[in-house]
Amino acid sequence: MKRLFVKGNEAVAMGALEAGCRYYFGYPITPQSDIPEYISREMPKLGGTFIQAESEIASINMLLGASACGVRAMTSSSSPGISLKQEGISYMAGSELPGLIVNICRSGPGLGGIDASQADYFQSVKGGGHGGYHIIVLAPHTVQEMYDLTMLAFDLADRYRMPAMLLGDAVVGQIKEALVPHPYQQPSDLPTKEWAVSGKQGRSDQRIVKSLFLGDGELEAHNWRLHAKYKQLQDNEVRCETEHVDDADLVVTAFGSAARIVKTAARMAREEGLKVGVIRPITLFPFPIATYQQAAQTVKKMLCVELNAGQMVEDVRLAVNGKVDVAFYGRPPGAGSLPTPEEILVQIKKHCG
Amino acid sequence: MTTDVFMAGFGGQGILLAGNLLAYAAIEQGLNASFFPAYGVEKRGGAANCTVIVTDGDVGSPVVGNPGQVLLFNQLSLDKFYPRVRKGGLCLINSSLAKIPEGEQRDDIDALLLPATDMAVEAGDARLVNMVMLGAFIARCEVVPMTAVKSALAGVLPERNHRFLPMNYAALDAGAARA
Amino acid sequence: MTTVLKNVFDRPVSLKDVSTHFCPGCQHGTAHRLCAEAMDSLGVQQRAIGVASVGCSVFLYGYFDIDVVEAPHGRAPAVATGVKRVRKDDFVFTYQGDGDLAAIGTSEIIHAANRGEAISVIFVNNTTYGMTGGQMAPTTLPQQQTSTSPTGRNVASDGYPIRMAELLSGLEGVSYSCRVAVNNPKNIMAAGKAIEKAFRCQVEQGGFGFVEVLTTCPTNWGMNPLKANNRVAEEMIPYFPLGVFKDIAPMGQEV
């Protein structure tokens, strides 16, 4: 396949179309508008449906309705818009509906700014809406991963019958680099969607997609079933990249675009003879707990770098459970606050000392 | 081998097009490259800058604190970024619009002063300043061959603007001739 | 001599053979039956998808023998949009109360209507939040006492009740909009015809149809069923006049 020169946001749209998504519902917001712009142009050519909804709330509920019919469907937005979608995401989680939600995160709180940010980590991995649930969260760090993980998100969502989120930011959304597109291959063992509404069409049973459970003990059982799926995800679907962890004194960890900066900084450190490894979670939920636990057996210290004031670092600390010290470096996002590799190198040296 | 290039000026000088073009030409050459634009809320007249990384390995960080190759298009960006050029690096300055303040001359970098806006006007349009600067840069730092940049330009420019290709080629050559 | 017995009254097949949870004198049951009869009459039960809303109407799936998707509060028209865009040949309707449609869901209903979605919307207006416990709704009448307007709805601070059927009729995307009541046999007959017409508008023409049904809520009104029923004619219809406010073919073409 020819290498293309593509913007990250467009790679998401291309991956979604390739994965068979034919329904998109969204509302414009910077810095993700390349996604609806691309899809509004290309999806109708494939017989798909693009709707620019009246709000983020409406678009997530259109996604809920389309997903309830068993098709692959998606929405995309950025932080303030994702906040508005949380109600619908909670209902989708409760109704066990798959579907892709893309968050090209921007800085906050409130209107904040349009700069790259990872401040939606908590909102994404801890169940951003009400009711105590989780969704699958994937964190791409290159344009190629924007494409590949979009496809994976649809597969995981369908396999586990739950919403999946692609969590990017303005760096991976706006950056242009090489993309090798490849044909989508649907896993042969994906379950059929026998729960999807279609009109009874002669069926004796009635199909109901709902999240209300008022019967005695019904809701508790439903919740335990959801949580059993989260356990399955933890057992089977963790994805994580590691570099030079085996002989490292210090492991630096980061996800998404921060991980790119960290990887360059770690390379600079190794060139200076420092034993530095990198752990990059690709799935933020499920979180690569075992990878951190294993690294904690051998490394002296860990350093977590984020484009926020410290969120994932809490999960890293929970994972290593006091076995090693986990330091944090990051700055609340905003114009000019993207850290440079040189800046991270200073931190690495500080913690290697 | 990794080459990092930082370009800065104001919106309308074609900074993002030049960066885009350089990265695209590198990818067409079989190299890896990233083009990361810093963008403002406003579309015109604000500050514009971008970082291009060209490498035969993996592109890591899309941003660089002290870039090795720097193209500065106006005074504002010179004031801000001239001191950040990496020691031993290359700095191209559009001397039509920017000059190094008295006493701040650096002798640890290779600086090339080029009246790029004047040269662009001579070539037919002040907006060709990006091509003049890029042409000079390619001549100095052969990260990709000039022929690759020229053929990439046809890929980057929308079809309706292809009638401007000869002007752009001429501006690239004019820049290269002065490098 | 042979006697031919003709069945003149039966349970519609679209309705399940169960008793409802509705309070005595509540008219949701009547509205449900009219919807079921209309689906039977159009022969769409086997390809019907209902979208349930939040409130007393949430148990749609318990009473209609059709596939159902449950929507968040107020969002049924958006959910129905997603369903209908996928299942273009199916019959899709929402069934929403007044808090759901005329307060929290105003954005969704107005824009689904404005897009001219090929769906049908049944809007049950009983001037109060039923399941939540009789609070003031956007349709609560001036001076009406509710649990959150204990001294009566004060239009100076709470605004006036919203007439949704008239409001929506002003939108280009709407093919059919009307208001009916089910407080007497004549009105029930007319309501049945209106609901069938709204459904037919979707099935045959791909149009957006809206039927506002004035109903009672004896429990939250603090009335017995008979008094509640009388209130519909005495207080509600004068403010919410019955009638057809729009009846055109989809996309502005005259029928």
Side-chain angles (χ1 to χ4, degrees):
Chain A
M1 277 286 210
K2 187 174 154 45
R3 291 199 318 161
L4 306 176
F5 183 51
V6 172
K7 199 186 252 195
N9 282 338
E10 290 184 343
V12 170
M14 291 166 73
L17 292 178
E18 180 57 34
C21 174
R22 292 293 177 270
Y23 297 90
Y24 175 96
F25 312 98
Y27 183 86
I29 181 170
T30 306
Q32 63 80 52
S33 295
D34 315 279
I35 299 174
E37 284 168 12
Y38 185 97
I39 288 179
S40 65
R41 190 174 72 233
E42 299 300 329
M43 200 179 251
K45 293 180 194 166
L46 300 169
T49 298
F50 168 90
I51 298 183
Q52 181 167 319
E54 64 272 25
S55 68
E56 280 96 350
I57 297 170
S59 58
I60 189 74
N61 284 291
M62 290 176 189
L63 172 59
L64 187 157
S67 289
C69 299
V71 296
R72 284 194 163 173
M74 71 179 288
T75 185
S76 66
S77 189
S78 180
S79 309
I82 297 293
S83 292
L84 285 168
K85 290 185 197 291
Q86 292 299 344
E87 173 198 59
I89 296 172
S90 170
Y91 277 75
M92 286 179 73
S95 306
E96 292 183 88
L97 285 176
L100 174 65
I101 300 126
V102 179
N103 181 3
I104 303 300
C105 183
R106 56 187 263 179
S107 44
L111 199 49
I114 58 171
D115 308 277
S117 165
Q118 296 184 326
D120 290 359
Y121 175 88
F122 281 151
Q123 189 201 46
S124 308
V125 305
K126 307 289 181 190
H130 65 281
Y133 64 91
H134 289 286
I135 61 173
I136 297 155
V137 183
L138 306 178
H141 85 319
T142 59
V143 169
Q144 187 69 49
E145 276 191 345
M146 290 287 259
Y147 184 82
D148 296 343
L149 295 185
T150 296
M151 291 181 180
L152 177 66
F154 279 114
D155 289 345
L156 291 177
D158 282 349
R159 184 178 304 281
Y160 292 91
R161 223 187 126 178
M162 57 193 278
M165 175 177 282
L166 192 78
L167 180 64
D169 60 41
V171 175
V172 286
Q174 297 296 321
I175 199 170
K176 277 177 91 172
E177 55 191 3
L179 169 71
V180 183
H182 50 82
Y184 169 70
Q185 295 237 298
Q186 180 161 309
S188 56
D189 58 343
L190 280 188
T192 54
K193 296 178 174 178
E194 271 153 16
W195 43 266
V197 298
S198 60
K200 288 185 70 182
Q201 317 282 2
R203 270 186 279 111
S204 59
D205 67 309
Q206 196 188 1
R207 290 183 179 172
I208 303 163
V209 172
K210 68 183 181 101
S211 62
L212 180 72
F213 298 94
L214 294 180
D216 204 10
E218 224 186 341
L219 185 59
E220 181 180 340
H222 175 63
N223 268 284
W224 284 128
R225 214 157 48 73
L226 295 182
H227 282 265
K229 289 202 284 191
Y230 306 152
K231 171 79 169 54
Q232 277 183 0
L233 279 165
Q234 190 67 58
D235 291 343
N236 304 322
E237 305 296 350
V238 168
R239 283 159 178 85
C240 182
E241 183 192 4
T242 58
E243 269 184 10
H244 306 283
V245 170
D246 291 349
D247 69 337
D249 290 333
L250 175 75
V251 153
V252 192
T253 183
F255 71 94
S257 54
R260 295 179 70 126
I261 304 169
V262 158
K263 280 161 94 175
T264 296
R267 223 168 287 159
M268 291 159 80
R270 282 196 300 272
E271 277 165 18
E272 295 188 23
L274 299 171
K275 289 186 171 176
V276 177
V278 174
I279 296 179
R280 175 177 73 93
I282 298 169
T283 53
L284 296 180
F285 189 88
F287 196 63
I289 295 169
T291 309
Y292 288 106
Q293 284 175 341
Q294 205 188 337
Q297 304 292 328
T298 55
V299 305
K300 291 178 184 147
K301 199 168 183 181
M302 291 191 187
L303 169 65
C304 183
V305 176
E306 301 174 58
L307 308 182
N308 59 41
Q311 298 190 13
M312 186 178 83
V313 63
E314 295 188 6
D315 286 335
V316 178
R317 284 177 182 148
L318 278 174
V320 303
N321 199 18
K323 182 94 186 156
V324 291
D325 213 19
V326 182
F328 172 77
Y329 185 74
R331 285 190 265 132
S337 64
L338 208 57
T340 62
E342 292 91 334
E343 186 179 340
I344 303 301
L345 182 61
V346 171
Q347 295 301 315
I348 289 174
K349 286 177 177 170
K350 190 173 124 190
H351 292 290
C352 275
Chain B
M1 173 72 184
T2 297
T3 308
D4 50 71
V5 189
F6 178 77
M7 311 183 189
F10 50 69
Q13 287 185 309
I15 312 276
L16 302 189
L17 178 68
N20 204 349
L21 177 59
L22 179 61
Y24 180 56
I27 281 172
E28 290 285 289
Q29 289 289 296
L31 295 162
N32 283 323
S34 69
F35 162 70
F36 179 57
Y39 56 96
V41 179
E42 64 284 292
K43 283 219 167 192
R44 305 267 183 275
N49 69 58
C50 68
T51 307
V52 175
I53 313 279
V54 179
T55 178
D56 51 8
D58 283 341
V59 177
S61 174
V63 292
V64 185
N66 301 113
Q69 286 74 31
V70 177
L71 279 61
L72 300 175
F73 283 66
N74 66 355
Q75 191 65 45
L76 208 66
S77 49
L78 184 136
D79 293 344
K80 194 166 173 190
F81 298 109
Y82 179 71
R84 293 195 205 167
V85 180
R86 190 157 63 230
K87 218 171 138 178
L90 168 69
C91 183
L92 265 63
I93 295 163
N94 175 14
S95 59
S96 306
L97 297 180
K99 77 175 207 234
I100 303 166
E102 204 76 35
E104 286 183 27
Q105 199 93 24
R106 289 178 58 180
D107 52 13
D108 61 346
I109 62 169
D110 176 16
L112 172 67
L113 276 66
L114 194 73
T117 300
D118 297 319
M119 289 167 67
V121 172
E122 238 168 78
D125 193 322
R127 285 175 297 178
L128 292 168
V129 62
N130 56 348
M131 292 298 129
V132 174
M133 292 283 279
L134 186 62
F137 172 70
I138 295 295
R140 273 293 175 103
C141 171
E142 270 234 335
V143 57
V144 289
M146 183 66 92
T147 50
V149 174
K150 286 185 178 171
S151 75
L153 188 56
V156 169
L157 278 188
E159 197 81 42
R160 63 175 191 280
N161 290 340
H162 278 198
R163 61 205 157 95
F164 299 122
L165 282 174
M167 282 172 90
N168 281 274
Y169 293 157
L172 281 165
D173 291 335
R178 287 286 288 271
Chain C
M1 201 175 117
T2 48
T3 311
V4 179
L5 292 175
K6 193 175 164 210
N7 194 348
V8 293
F9 189 81
D10 207 347
R11 181 177 52 79
V13 296
S14 299
L15 219 48
K16 290 190 195 174
D17 188 10
V18 293
S19 51
T20 71
H21 72 290
F22 299 123
C23 304
C26 169
Q27 293 171 343
H28 265 302
T30 312
H32 272 42
R33 186 185 170 94
L34 295 177
C35 291
E37 285 177 351
M39 280 191 275
D40 277 16
S41 154
L42 293 168
V44 296
Q45 181 238 354
Q46 288 294 314
R47 58 186 173 102
I49 301 174
V51 179
S53 60
V54 173
C56 295
S57 52
V58 70
F59 295 112
L60 209 69
Y61 42 79
Y63 307 128
F64 289 103
D65 187 17
I66 59 172
D67 282 3
V68 174
V69 183
E70 183 187 272
H73 199 22
R75 319 300 178 211
V79 171
T81 297
V83 171
K84 183 69 182 192
R85 294 293 184 115
V86 177
R87 305 289 310 177
K88 292 187 176 68
D89 296 330
D90 285 354
F91 168 74
V92 179
F93 74 104
T94 74
Y95 185 105
Q96 305 171 256
D98 43 19
D100 190 273
L101 183 138
I104 196 167
T106 42
S107 175
E108 284 77 13
I109 185 60
I110 283 176
H111 287 276
N114 194 50
R115 285 190 302 269
E117 293 293 340
I119 60 172
S120 312
V121 174
I122 304 301
F123 170 47
V124 178
N125 175 358
N126 60 11
T127 75
T128 189
Y129 285 80
M131 188 178 270
T132 314
Q135 292 83 4
M136 182 174 67
T139 45
T140 293
L141 292 173
Q143 300 309 315
Q144 181 183 336
Q145 290 182 342
T146 70
S147 61
T148 53
S149 57
T151 58
R153 179 180 187 138
N154 175 2
V155 294
S157 63
D158 303 325
Y160 285 87
I162 297 180
R163 296 184 181 97
M164 286 306 298
E166 290 90 329
L167 192 152
L168 292 178
S169 68
L171 298 173
E172 291 294 326
V174 174
S175 299
Y176 181 69
S177 179
C178 74
R179 184 180 293 112
V180 298
V182 288
N183 60 329
N184 60 45
K186 178 169 163 268
N187 281 348
I188 291 174
M189 299 283 279
K193 285 198 176 112
I195 289 171
E196 188 177 323
K197 175 146 188 151
F199 286 7
R200 191 179 293 282
C201 169
Q202 174 189 166
V203 172
E204 293 179 0
Q205 298 176 298
F208 178 92
F210 180 86
V211 180
E212 177 172 339
V213 186
L214 301 182
T215 65
T216 53
C217 185
T219 302
N220 286 305
W221 291 356
M223 296 176 178
N224 66 37
L226 199 60
K227 275 194 165 159
N229 197 50
N230 288 340
R231 179 179 180 252
V232 174
E234 287 161 10
E235 296 178 25
M236 288 175 74
I237 294 176
Y239 191 91
F240 295 112
L242 306 186
V244 177
F245 303 102
K246 191 161 191 191
D247 186 2
I248 58 161
M251 307 322 287
Q253 297 158 345
E254 292 298 325
V255 181

